[in-house]
Amino acid sequence: QKEVEQDPGPLSVPEGAIVSLNCTYSNSAFQYFMWYRQYSRKGPELLMYTYSSGNKEDGRFTAQVDKSSKYISLFIRDSQPSDSATYLCAMRFSGNTPLVFGKGTRLSVIA
Amino acid sequence: DGGITQSPKYLFRKEGQNVTLSCEQNLNHDAMYWYRQDPGQGLRLIYYSQIVNDFQKGDIAEGYSVSREKKESFPLTVTSAQKNPTAFYLCASKGTATNYGYTFGSGTRLTVV
C-alpha cells in the first residue's frame, strides 16, 4: 500500500462547479498537510497548508484534514477555467522531514 | 526577486552520458530537495540536503549523485547508471522559519536520445 493515495483523474467539471479533491494516507504520524497546484510543464506552487486536523479557508479554497479517518480534502468553490491544473496533496512528519506526495489529480474546468 | 532557478529548462542526454542539472536559490533556505516526476507517478524524492556538506538519499537515489558545497546550490548529476532517466526534474527548498511548504523551481525536462 502506498503511503499517500490520490485518484489521478482526470476530473472535468463545468465552470462554477464546486470541486472536491481528496487524498488518503496510511501513516498516522503525518502532521503537516499541503496542497500544491501545478500547471503544465511548471513547478508546483503551494496552495494551502494545514497542521494536524481541522479546516482552513482561503478565498475560494478550503482545505480539510480528518486525522481520525486519515483523509484530507481540498474544495474549490466557483471553479474557473484558470483552475485547470494538476493538484498534488503532500504531507510530512514533524521535524525537518521530506514531503511525501500523492500522484496528483488532473482537473479541467470547462467554460 | 527571491526564488529557485533551475537550468537548463530542456536537456538531452545520449546513452552512457552523465549530465548535471543545476539548482540555485537565493532564499537563504537551508534545506534543498530533488524530485523526479513521471506521468501518473507524482513526485518521487531523489536526494535531499538539510545543511551544507551533508545530504541524504531519498526513495529513488540509484543512478543519481548530488553535492552541497554552497548553501545556494544543489546540483544533481544523472549518471549512466540511471537506466530510465527521461523525466521532469524538480528542485525545491525550504527555510527553517517556514514550517510548512517548499518553494519549487520551474523544472528541467531531461530526455534520452
Side-chain angles (χ1 to χ4, degrees), chain B residues 14-105:
Chain B
K14 293 181 181 179
E15 294 283 350
Q17 241 182 7
N18 292 356
V19 291
T20 298
L21 283 59
S22 171
C23 179
E24 303 276 336
Q25 55 101 356
N26 61 3
L27 299 165
N28 200 32
H29 284 174
D30 288 308
M32 297 186 74
Y33 308 82
W34 275 106
Y35 284 88
R36 169 180 171 145
Q37 188 174 32
D38 296 279
Q41 292 292 323
L43 273 67
R44 293 183 289 167
L45 183 65
I46 305 173
Y47 268 99
Y48 65 104
S49 169
Q50 310 269 29
I51 197 169
V52 174
N53 292 323
D54 188 43
F55 48 83
Q56 287 78 40
K57 292 182 179 180
D59 300 317
I60 55 165
E62 185 175 352
Y64 300 97
S65 66
V66 293
S67 63
R68 187 86 187 277
E69 297 176 1
K70 297 186 301 181
K71 188 176 186 178
E72 302 79 19
S73 179
F74 191 39
L76 173 74
T77 297
V78 184
T79 74
S80 57
Q82 172 48 243
K83 297 306 178 189
N84 185 23
T86 295
F88 190 48
Y89 290 86
L90 287 158
C91 180
S93 71
K94 176 184 168 297
T96 53
T98 306
N99 291 325
Y100 304 102
Y102 296 172
T103 301
F104 279 89

Side-chain angles (χ1 to χ4, degrees), chain A residues 30-36 44-56 63 65 88-101, chain B residues 29 31 33 35 50 92-104:
Chain A
F30 283 124
Q31 293 287 336
Y32 297 91
F33 303 91
M34 277 141 266
W35 287 94
Y36 283 83
E45 55 180 330
L46 182 63
L47 201 56
M48 299 286 286
Y49 61 80
T50 312
Y51 170 68
S52 195
S53 283
N55 293 359
K56 186 167 185 176
V65 174
L88 297 147
C89 65
M91 53 197 73
R92 67 177 182 85
F93 307 110
S94 60
N96 217 6
T97 55
L99 282 174
V100 179
F101 284 84
Chain B
H29 284 174
Y33 308 82
Y35 284 88
Q50 310 269 29
S93 71
K94 176 184 168 297
T96 53
T98 306
N99 291 325
Y100 304 102
Y102 296 172
T103 301
F104 279 89

Side-chain angles (χ1 to χ4, degrees), chain A residues 71-93:
Chain A
Y71 188 88
I72 69 171
S73 301
L74 178 71
F75 297 96
I76 307 174
R77 290 181 296 281
D78 187 25
S79 56
Q80 303 295 310
S82 58
D83 294 328
S84 298
T86 295
Y87 290 80
L88 297 147
C89 65
M91 53 197 73
R92 67 177 182 85
F93 307 110

Side-chain angles (χ1 to χ4, degrees), chain A residues 4-17:
Chain A
V4 180
E5 299 275 5
Q6 183 176 10
D7 186 339
L11 180 63
S12 184
V13 301
E15 183 176 358

